Amino acid sequence: MAVLWLLLAALMIGIGFLGAAVLRETDSVEALRPEDGQLIATEQGALHVLDLGPQDGPVLLFLHGAGAWAGLWRPVLQDMAAAGYRAIALDTPPFGFSERDPAGDYSRTRQAERILALLKALDIRPVLVGHSFGAGPGVEAVMRAPERFAGLIVVDGALGIGSQASELPVPLRPQVLREAAVSMTATNPLLTRRLLLSLIHVEAAATDEVVAVLQLPMRLSGSTAAFAAWLPALLRPGVDARSTRAESYRALCLPTMFIWGEQDTVTPLDQGRQAAALVSGAELIALPGVGHIPQIEAPKAFQDALTAALGKLRDAQSTCG
């Protein structure tokens, strides 16, 4: 009987959070997206980007991690634009302001297709800078079409190399239960700062401004349902993807660098070292005293590392066909 009451209580709590999400998520893309953002029509739907800097400058394409969006890259985009780069950050759906997939397909391979579709639509050949969970689709896109990229930089990447196929936990298989879980956590504005603090080492980086940036797209209609549709892609890395196989990294012939926070507890530094060791000619830049999101934890150190990594890529371009 006690277990039954606990289950009923959990159900009521979940219903309450779902109801709060419905009442909170009422805004449209047009109402919320930044004025300098652009919706780019592609073969994979409308993709939202921030595009700063000279249009004829060398191109950098930034990919965000789970729960973030292009706005988290804005200070980096501004710095790189000032240095003469065309700095573009993509909202990888269902996050940010890109068009969400009606079928809810956010697998690593489909996300890679979206990245390649953006390159085609913009007619660019960028250095790809992929952070955290966004690094997986980015590396997948690179492995599928390396000729479309000028280089690759992985930042604290959640790559899932060697991942094995697995089933979703039984409680998360029904969409409605995933929505309840998401409404209590990922789209719950009361937990945004706490979730951010669980990812970083420099706690002072969890400023009100950063929290507000992360929360902005959560007000979009249907965010909780969309995040719940995406959740399997987080819990089950793309085991059918090339970017989960060590041999694909060994075969990669593209100038590649890794930047990693030494205090990263989400994707520990050893994962970065192992990935870098697989790619011929790749190097790893470790940032002391920094956790999983170096671009907000140590902006100056990250900017220096990014600049150094880009220099290494330029030097390596002539040695890798």
Side-chain angles (χ1 to χ4, degrees):
M1 183 64 69
V3 173
L4 177 60
W5 281 112
L6 285 173
L7 290 173
L8 288 173
L11 177 62
M12 294 305 295
I13 291 171
I15 291 172
F17 275 100
L18 276 174
V22 170
L23 294 174
R24 184 173 60 247
E25 297 168 7
T26 59
D27 286 304
S28 66
V29 169
E30 292 72 21
L32 286 182
R33 71 182 178 91
E35 291 183 358
D36 59 347
Q38 302 176 44
L39 282 172
I40 308 298
T42 79
E43 296 172 349
Q44 295 290 330
L47 298 177
H48 179 260
V49 301
L50 296 178
D51 186 348
L52 281 62
Q55 295 295 291
D56 60 350
V59 186
L60 307 176
L61 177 61
F62 293 86
L63 304 178
H64 59 77
W69 64 286
L72 198 65
W73 282 113
R74 186 180 290 278
V76 177
L77 301 181
Q78 292 170 336
D79 287 341
M80 299 313 295
Y85 289 90
R86 182 182 178 186
I88 304 170
L90 167 67
D91 284 352
T92 307
F95 305 110
F97 302 100
S98 290
E99 182 179 345
R100 292 165 177 166
D101 189 334
D105 187 351
Y106 301 112
S107 62
R108 183 178 293 194
T109 51
R110 179 54 64 85
Q111 300 287 44
E113 291 171 4
R114 293 186 175 104
I115 294 165
L116 293 173
L118 179 69
L119 268 57
K120 181 178 179 180
L122 294 179
D123 190 23
I124 56 174
R125 183 174 176 263
V127 170
L128 186 141
V129 184
H131 173 242
S132 185
F133 192 76
V139 173
E140 182 69 17
V142 165
M143 289 178 171
R144 287 172 176 266
E147 72 282 357
R148 301 291 303 278
F149 296 89
L152 171 66
I153 299 175
V154 175
V155 182
D156 293 79
L159 299 173
I161 301 173
S163 298
Q164 300 297 313
S166 62
E167 295 293 331
L168 275 178
V170 173
L172 293 179
R173 290 177 189 174
Q175 169 77 6
V176 67
L177 294 184
R178 293 202 302 273
E179 289 183 22
V182 167
S183 69
M184 288 187 282
T185 54
T187 60
N188 179 1
L190 299 177
L191 286 186
T192 305
R193 190 186 304 274
R194 184 177 298 180
L195 291 173
L196 177 59
L197 286 169
S198 72
L199 300 175
I200 61 179
H201 180 73
V202 182
E203 294 187 356
T207 63
D208 291 345
E209 181 181 13
V210 169
V211 170
V213 167
L214 292 171
Q215 289 178 337
L216 180 63
M218 295 179 191
R219 290 157 43 194
L220 287 173
S221 177
S223 287
T224 292
F227 286 22
W230 163 85
L231 193 58
L234 173 67
L235 299 177
R236 297 183 301 172
V239 293
D240 60 338
R242 303 177 192 185
S243 52
T244 61
R245 305 170 193 160
E247 60 268 24
S248 299
Y249 290 82
R250 296 188 185 99
L252 182 62
C253 189
L254 188 75
T256 300
M257 290 290 294
F258 294 80
I259 300 174
W260 227 270
E262 287 189 354
Q263 302 301 317
D264 187 344
T265 58
V266 181
T267 52
L269 180 60
D270 278 349
Q271 293 186 19
R273 290 180 176 137
Q274 291 164 6
L278 292 173
V279 182
S280 176
E283 297 182 32
L284 183 143
I285 300 174
L287 302 179
V290 177
H292 187 63
I293 316 180
Q295 64 267 37
I296 68 167
E297 296 183 58
K300 178 61 166 59
F302 177 76
Q303 185 70 21
D304 290 346
L306 180 58
T307 300
L310 289 168
K312 293 280 188 179
L313 294 187
R314 285 192 297 271
D315 293 343
Q317 282 179 352
S318 61
T319 65
C320 187

